[in-house]
């Protein structure tokens, strides 16, 4: 058998032949670095929702929920926001669609959105995307247990619900609570 | 044999085959058919590598399946959304479990370590999904798969785990197809993007140095699967709105062909065939995608079919059969039974799809199956006769 650079088969090693368990210091460091990078990737993936939770302003929005399932994350309540603009009625050209800004203003207990804008408005606003069939602002899903999702859906079927949303200064939004509308 | 040719690079083989060969060589040497030098020279032409030395044993299968089941169960547990624990506690539990598995994989050896690395790579997905669930990231976001796939792939290369690499590459492939479909650019964009990914994957497979050939085989498998999906989509005869060329496709072509050129620079003959197959599928797939004489409003009524429609439909079948046949041969030559199996299943699925979706109003599915089968049998018979003739010429 020749030697080769193609990972020749190593003979089976017996335990206790002076070998130390584990990959060695360099191996552990490499593993730690990989783990850190994986955690950073996870952080980047959830950053638009993490940032407003940490530094955002809290607003209340009216919602109308339905109840589907995400294969990786389970039952959730899919949320529609009647007080935010609907891209179908905004009349934007499909070429213009993409990042959409919605200024928020308070009306009574809840906040409502103005028309879709293409540049950052002053004050509190949502940074959304209207390239799809509906406006997506990162607050369209509320994940709860299966039974809780059903209960929630039934309790708000005939009335509005209120979503408590935190919005940061860049317009990122994260939903932090969902409850039936009192009154 | 007057001129000594440079010694070729050793041919990888399995330990079992190598044992058989060296045993036979000893016999021939004893019988005086070979000199000891000649026997040694022949033996030196073959080498047992780690990849070919890896055999599918029952223990490997059980450990692998166990890891996959536990991993899927963990992701399922995340999806169960256990309300009794707060979102932060759930996330921390999953992270601790993931880190524990990563450490355990380092402290164990061989098959157990490989299974734990596979499980660690899957559990990384549970970490991403739990984080997203805890922070109420909206449902059906493909970028979560991107985070999982990239992380798993990085872990796989860092720890040289092919099993983890399989997870990373599979997840990235699913993310890519999902992202492309999400972009909603029509079937031309979809076909082009998938076929470009195929060229890029095969090129990456070639660019892997010999010590990383196991990972190269994973990329080659992905390239073959993407190639089949792309040509399948290109064969669909109808077209609709949005089926136009996009700038993204142009950029993708530049990138993929750049990779292919770099791969070609350092490729062997077999690898050149693989690259040629992927690039050929890309070109033919794009041509068929752009040449769609039918719209969704057209019915496949034989009397209304133009010559162009007939030509296009026949060409689509021919292209798929050639590409699938090519990948089946690559799978057989490379010892990648998965590629051969996928290509074979692809032909069956493709023929069934064409029977029902396209040809149903023209000829029966049974007729199409028989026609395709006869073409393949004739091709096989011709190939077998050619192989025998070459063999007899070499012997003479």
């Amino acid at each position: 058998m020749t030697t080769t650079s193609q990972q020749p088969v190593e003979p089976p090693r017996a335990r206790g032949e002076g070998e130390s368990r584990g990959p060695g210091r360099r191996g552990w460091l490499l593993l730690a670095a990989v783990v850190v990078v994986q955690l950073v990737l996870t952080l980047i993936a959830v950053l638009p929702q993490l940032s407003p939770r940490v530094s955002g302003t809290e607003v209340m929005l009216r919602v109308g929920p339905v109840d589907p399932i995400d294969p990786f994350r389970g039952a959730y309540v899919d949320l529609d926001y009647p007080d935010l603009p609907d891209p179908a009625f905004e009349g934007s050209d499909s070429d213009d669609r993409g990042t959409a800004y919605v200024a928020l203003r308070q009306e009574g207990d809840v906040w409502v959105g103005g028309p879709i804008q293409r540049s950052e408005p002053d004050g509190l606003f949502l940074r959304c995307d209207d390239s799809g069939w509906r406006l997506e602002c990162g607050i369209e899903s509320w994940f709860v247990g299966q039974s809780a999702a059903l209960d929630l859906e039934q309790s708000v079927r005939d009335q509005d619900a209120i979503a408590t949303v935190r919005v940061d200064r860049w317009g990122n939004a994260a939903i932090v609570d969902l409850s039936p509308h009192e009154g | 044999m007057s001129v000594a040719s440079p010694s070729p690079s050793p041919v990888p083989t399995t330990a079992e085959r190598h044992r058989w060969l060296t045993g036979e060589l000893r016999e021939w040497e004893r019988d005086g058919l070979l000199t000891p030098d000649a026997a040694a020279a022949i033996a030196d032409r073959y080498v047992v590598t780690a990849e070919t030395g890896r055999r599918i044993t029952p223990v490997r299968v059980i450990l692998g399946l166990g890891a996959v089941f536990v991993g899927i169960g963990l992701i399922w547990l995340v999806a169960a959304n256990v309300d009794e624990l707060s979102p932060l506690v759930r996330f921390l539990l999953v992270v601790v479990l993931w880190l524990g598995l990563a450490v355990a994989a380092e402290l164990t050896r061989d098959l157990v370590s490989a299974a734990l690395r596979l499980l660690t790579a899957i559990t990384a997905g549970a970490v991403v999904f739990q984080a997203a669930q805890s922070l109420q990231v909206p449902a059906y976001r493909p970028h979560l798969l991107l985070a999982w796939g990239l992380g798993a792939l990085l872990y796989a290369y860092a720890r040289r785990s092919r099993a983890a690499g399989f997870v990373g590459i599979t997840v990235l492939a699913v993310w890519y197809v999902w992202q492309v479909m999400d972009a909603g650019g029509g079937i031309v964009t979809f076909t082009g993007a998938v076929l470009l990914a195929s060229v890029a994957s095969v090129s990456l497979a070639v660019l892997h140095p010999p010590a990383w050939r196991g990972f190269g085989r994973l990329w080659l498998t992905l390239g073959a699967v993407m190639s089949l999906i792309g040509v399948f989509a290109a064969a669909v005869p109808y077209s609709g709105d949005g089926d136009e060329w996009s700038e993204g496709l142009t950029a993708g072509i530049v990138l993929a062909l750049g990779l292919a050129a770099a791969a070609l620079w350092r490729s062997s003959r077999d690898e050149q065939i693989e690259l040629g197959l992927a690039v050929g599928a890309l070109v033919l797939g794009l041509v068929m995608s752009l040449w769609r004489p039918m719209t969704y409003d057209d019915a496949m009524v034989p009397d209304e079919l133009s010559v162009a429609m007939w030509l296009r439909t026949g060409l689509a079948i021919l292209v798929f059969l050639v590409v699938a046949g090519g990948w089946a041969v690559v799978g057989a030559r490379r010892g990648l039974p998965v590629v051969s199996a996928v290509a074979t299943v692809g032909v069956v699925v493709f023929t069934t799809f064409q029977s029902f979706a396209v040809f149903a109003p023209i000829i029966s599915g049974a007729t199409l199956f028989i026609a395709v089968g006869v073409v393949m049998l004739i091709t096989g018979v011709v190939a077998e006769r050619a192989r025998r003739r070459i063999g007899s010429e070499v012997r003479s």
Side-chain angles (χ1 to χ4, degrees):
Chain A
M1 196 188 303
T2 59
T3 56
T4 174
S5 59
Q6 297 173 350
Q7 285 182 268
V9 172
E10 294 174 15
R13 289 173 294 172
R15 281 201 182 280
E17 290 177 358
E19 62 185 77
S20 60
R21 284 169 76 96
R25 189 164 176 272
R26 192 166 165 273
W28 285 118
L29 283 174
L30 185 63
L31 178 65
V34 169
V35 163
V36 168
V37 172
Q38 284 184 281
L39 286 173
V40 169
L41 284 170
T42 305
L43 180 73
I44 292 170
V46 300
L47 196 58
Q49 276 69 37
L50 183 61
S51 167
R53 279 173 180 262
V54 175
S55 65
T57 305
E58 202 160 277
V59 299
M60 315 279 250
L61 298 166
R62 286 195 310 132
V63 292
V66 288
D67 175 32
I69 295 270
D70 178 293
F72 297 116
R73 287 182 284 153
Y76 67 96
V77 186
D78 192 46
L79 303 173
D80 180 43
Y81 291 83
D83 295 331
L84 294 184
D86 186 339
F89 299 108
E90 287 284 310
S92 299
D93 287 340
S94 56
D95 291 343
D96 295 338
R97 289 190 170 196
T99 305
Y101 300 94
V102 176
L104 293 173
R105 66 176 189 281
Q106 193 162 14
E107 283 187 1
D109 291 340
V110 297
W111 292 64
V112 299
I116 288 174
Q117 301 178 38
R118 297 297 160 194
S119 57
E120 282 188 16
D122 294 329
L124 203 58
F125 65 91
L126 294 173
R127 181 192 175 90
C128 308
D129 188 315
D130 66 345
S131 52
W133 61 276
R134 70 171 180 177
L135 194 66
E136 293 183 345
C137 306
I139 48 175
E140 291 76 42
S141 306
W142 176 247
F143 285 88
V144 281
Q146 183 82 48
S147 55
L150 283 171
D151 291 346
L152 189 60
E153 184 192 3
Q154 282 167 6
S155 68
V156 298
R157 190 176 292 266
D158 299 323
Q159 58 180 324
D160 284 337
I162 293 291
T164 305
V165 173
R166 293 185 73 89
V167 184
D168 70 12
R169 58 186 158 140
W170 298 283
N172 294 314
I175 178 167
V176 294
D177 192 27
L178 183 70
S179 55
H181 190 201
E182 303 293 334
Chain B
M1 296 282 278
S2 56
V3 180
S5 57
S7 56
S9 56
V11 177
T13 187
T14 63
E16 197 176 340
R17 279 185 182 175
H18 198 272
R19 247 192 324 274
W20 174 86
L21 176 66
T22 47
E24 289 295 298
L25 287 173
R26 270 198 299 274
E27 289 288 320
W28 298 341
E29 204 182 311
R30 202 162 37 235
D31 296 344
L33 296 171
L34 285 176
T35 63
D37 285 346
I42 293 171
D44 280 352
R45 284 179 168 242
Y46 301 91
V47 62
V48 179
T49 63
E51 280 96 51
T52 49
R54 280 199 187 100
R55 292 179 60 211
I56 298 173
T57 61
V59 175
R60 189 186 291 274
V61 170
I62 288 172
L63 283 169
L65 279 177
V68 169
F69 270 75
V70 172
I72 291 174
L74 282 172
I75 292 178
W76 205 329
L77 203 59
V78 168
N81 207 330
V82 184
D83 281 341
E84 288 77 13
L85 302 173
S86 76
L88 180 62
V89 170
R90 268 180 276 158
F91 174 69
L92 290 177
L93 277 177
V94 177
V95 168
V96 167
L97 184 64
W98 169 58
L99 292 177
L101 287 168
V103 171
E106 300 305 321
L107 297 176
T108 50
R109 298 187 340 171
D110 303 331
L111 294 181
V112 176
S113 175
L116 287 175
R117 283 182 174 147
L118 172 63
L119 182 52
T120 304
I122 301 175
T123 310
V127 172
V128 173
F129 294 129
Q130 184 58 65
Q133 190 196 64
S134 295
L135 291 169
Q136 302 292 348
V137 174
Y140 292 96
R141 288 294 187 273
H143 75 276
L144 298 178
L145 287 184
L146 175 63
W148 176 17
L150 280 179
L153 199 62
L154 183 70
Y155 172 73
Y157 275 89
R159 304 317 301 148
R160 275 188 177 250
S161 168
R162 283 179 64 195
F166 171 76
V167 174
I169 287 174
T170 305
V171 171
L172 282 179
V174 173
W175 162 77
Y176 184 77
V177 172
W178 187 353
Q179 193 73 56
V180 167
M181 291 177 79
D182 227 25
I187 203 152
V188 175
T189 304
F190 176 80
T191 306
V194 171
L195 288 169
L196 284 168
S198 163
V199 174
S201 295
V202 175
S203 305
L204 281 175
V206 175
L207 287 170
H208 276 70
W212 293 88
R213 196 158 285 173
F215 282 87
R217 289 159 67 84
L218 287 176
W219 285 106
L220 180 61
T221 305
L222 173 67
V225 172
M226 287 286 193
S227 182
L228 290 167
I229 293 174
V231 178
F232 191 113
V236 176
Y238 306 104
S239 72
D241 293 338
D243 292 345
E244 295 160 0
W245 192 265
S246 64
E247 288 175 7
L249 272 182
T250 309
I253 284 178
V254 172
L255 182 70
L257 291 186
L259 270 176
L264 200 62
W265 185 260
R266 47 168 301 165
S267 57
S268 66
R269 193 167 171 279
D270 277 351
E271 291 165 341
Q272 284 165 7
I273 291 172
E274 291 153 12
L275 282 168
L277 187 55
V279 173
L282 168 67
V283 172
L284 290 170
L286 282 178
V287 167
M288 284 196 302
S289 294
L290 293 169
W291 179 33
R292 289 176 191 273
M294 284 167 269
T295 69
Y296 289 117
D297 299 328
D298 292 328
M300 290 290 286
V301 180
D303 292 344
E304 295 177 9
L305 287 182
S306 65
V307 176
M309 291 176 181
W310 278 108
L311 271 177
R312 204 256 178 219
T313 306
L315 180 70
I317 293 176
L318 192 65
V319 166
F320 189 88
L321 291 179
V322 168
V323 171
W327 285 119
V329 171
V330 167
R333 285 176 68 95
R334 285 288 194 162
L336 287 169
V338 173
V339 171
S340 301
V342 168
T344 309
V345 171
V347 170
V348 174
V349 173
F350 178 79
T351 311
T352 309
F353 172 80
Q354 291 283 334
S355 307
F356 288 101
V358 181
F359 278 90
I362 305 170
I363 55 173
S364 73
T367 313
L368 182 64
F369 261 81
I370 290 169
V372 170
V374 166
V375 169
M376 292 174 83
L377 280 173
I378 292 171
T379 309
V381 169
V382 170
E384 175 64 10
R385 285 173 66 89
R387 191 185 68 81
R388 284 186 181 175
R389 195 167 64 234
I390 291 168
S392 65
E393 281 172 6
V394 169
R395 275 196 296 279
S396 66

